[in-house]
Amino acid sequence: ESLRGATINAAAAIGRTDLLGSLERGKQADFAVVEAGSVNEWLYHFRPNAVLNTFIRGRIVYEARRN
């Protein structure tokens, strides 16, 4: 529910589900790739430096350095 509240429900609240809120063809594609075993691990056990990549409008703007 938290993830939906921050994505598709937030887009609906501002009337922009046509462009925002979910990963679908034709939408803006702003998202982060988080290193986690499951969505529950990410939501409840988030840790510093867990973000692997960040995309804005479908283009990568951040890539974590891995040793």
Side-chain angles (χ1 to χ4, degrees), residues 27-49:
K27 290 197 174 182
Q28 192 163 307
D30 295 346
F31 63 95
V33 177
V34 178
E35 183 177 32
S38 73
V39 69
N40 291 328
E41 181 180 325
W42 170 69
L43 288 172
Y44 299 110
H45 305 286
F46 191 77
R47 63 187 188 348
N49 303 319

Side-chain angles (χ1 to χ4, degrees), residues 6-67:
T7 57
I8 195 68
N9 292 347
I14 61 170
R16 294 307 311 260
T17 56
D18 60 323
L19 183 64
L20 307 170
S22 61
L23 296 176
E24 298 177 62
R25 183 178 294 256
K27 290 197 174 182
Q28 192 163 307
D30 295 346
F31 63 95
V33 177
V34 178
E35 183 177 32
S38 73
V39 69
N40 291 328
E41 181 180 325
W42 170 69
L43 288 172
Y44 299 110
H45 305 286
F46 191 77
R47 63 187 188 348
N49 303 319
V51 174
L52 299 176
N53 305 100
T54 303
F55 292 79
I56 296 178
R57 294 192 170 135
R59 295 179 185 259
I60 193 164
V61 296
Y62 171 79
E63 188 167 5
R65 296 180 191 203
R66 295 293 179 196
N67 295 331

